[in-house]
Amino acid sequence: MRLHFYKYQATGNDFVVVDNRAGSLQLTQEQIARLCHRKFGVGADGLMLIEKHPSLHFHLEYYNSDGSQSLCGNGSRAAVHMAAQLGLLDKAATFQAYDGPHDAELLPTGIIRLRMGDVASHTRHGDDYFIHTGSPHYVRFVDDVKAYPVVEEGRKIRYSDAFKPGGTNVNFVQRLPNNTLFVRTYERGVEDETLSCGTGITAAALAAALEGYSSPVAIKALGGELSVEFTRTGDGSFTNVYLIGPAQCVFEGDVEV
């Protein structure tokens, strides 16, 4: 079967995106992994299907590069950009993702402002944090994140007994001046470091807020710059959480699956 696809990147987090509004495409886990393979396929951190929804602008089906499913913040922003190119929305959208409906706004600058879910709680692991932002995230603050062994240490935490059987994503975060963070992430499902992780960046910003940072938090990632807005409520939970950053269609093509 020949498949037409779009290749997207959102601050270096890259995706194979397919228009499946006809509902005819059903990919196996093996096919998804092969399409995302960087040697034998298109190459991507994940694959997304944009599908029809009975009442919302679209339904987003997201798969990590190993074929597992989760919420992807950067992928959702890329999907909103592509949905706009398909004529499914103008400046704003509500769509169904893995964890429920999300609102998004496509700004005139090309930046996508994605509303994330509210975060009601967090847990501490010593000096570290565990925060669920649609996907599970472990957050550790370090002094020099550029020199930190992200893959080695991230893999240890991801597969540790504390997070079995599902595991967790792991973020290493450096505090910078001017309410800014530098975030690097080991992603579950990709099983490697990605250049940016939207749900992880959101978790890092909220962890920083628990230590005194204010909204909006500016984020530097290996793949670019984003920001996170939020409202902290009196009971310590977070609402009005937004992940804000760019997304770009890199190319489109056809591939045999």
Side-chain angles (χ1 to χ4, degrees), residues 9 12 23 65 69 72 80 83 95 104 107 113 120 154 156 163 174 187 189 202 211 232 238 244:
Q9 67 88 12
S65 59
Q69 291 190 275
C72 180
V80 169
F95 64 96
L107 303 178
R113 190 170 183 262
K156 289 178 184 176
F163 299 105
Q174 183 176 350
E187 277 205 56
T202 303
E211 299 202 345
R232 190 173 179 185
F238 295 91
I244 304 160

Side-chain angles (χ1 to χ4, degrees), residues 45-213:
D45 294 324
L47 181 142
M48 298 187 288
L49 304 177
I50 292 183
E51 301 177 339
K52 286 185 176 179
H53 189 278
S55 59
L56 306 181
H57 288 88
F58 64 93
H59 173 87
L60 174 60
E61 198 77 11
Y62 178 81
Y63 298 90
N64 295 305
S65 59
D66 67 354
S68 62
Q69 291 190 275
S70 66
L71 173 70
C72 180
N74 285 334
S76 294
R77 292 189 301 102
V80 169
H81 188 284
M82 179 170 160
Q85 301 304 303
L86 294 173
L88 301 181
L89 60 103
D90 183 14
K91 298 179 180 178
T94 302
F95 64 96
Q96 181 74 24
Y98 180 77
D99 65 335
H102 287 261
D103 297 326
E105 182 181 5
L106 183 59
L107 303 178
T109 56
I111 297 295
I112 295 93
R113 190 170 183 262
L114 172 70
R115 183 165 186 162
M116 307 291 284
D118 292 348
V119 176
S121 63
H122 68 278
T123 57
R124 293 294 299 265
H125 295 258
D127 293 331
D128 303 337
Y129 294 87
F130 180 79
I131 302 176
H132 203 292
T133 53
S135 293
H137 281 278
Y138 192 92
V139 179
R140 172 175 292 172
F141 289 97
V142 300
D143 292 331
D144 184 2
V145 74
K146 286 186 177 179
Y148 201 82
V150 168
V151 173
E152 180 183 354
E153 292 302 313
R155 187 172 288 136
K156 289 178 184 176
I157 297 169
R158 183 261 190 265
Y159 286 104
S160 65
D161 290 341
F163 299 105
K164 288 182 177 178
T168 183
N169 302 283
V170 188
N171 306 272
F172 301 99
V173 184
Q174 183 176 350
R175 303 173 184 88
L176 300 177
N178 302 317
N179 213 61
T180 301
L181 303 173
F182 196 116
V183 182
R184 295 177 64 188
T185 304
Y186 178 94
E187 277 205 56
R188 178 189 69 164
V190 179
E191 305 310 333
D192 202 350
E193 180 179 10
T194 55
L195 296 183
S196 172
C197 172
T199 52
I201 281 166
T202 303
L206 299 186
L210 294 168
E211 299 202 345
Y213 272 55

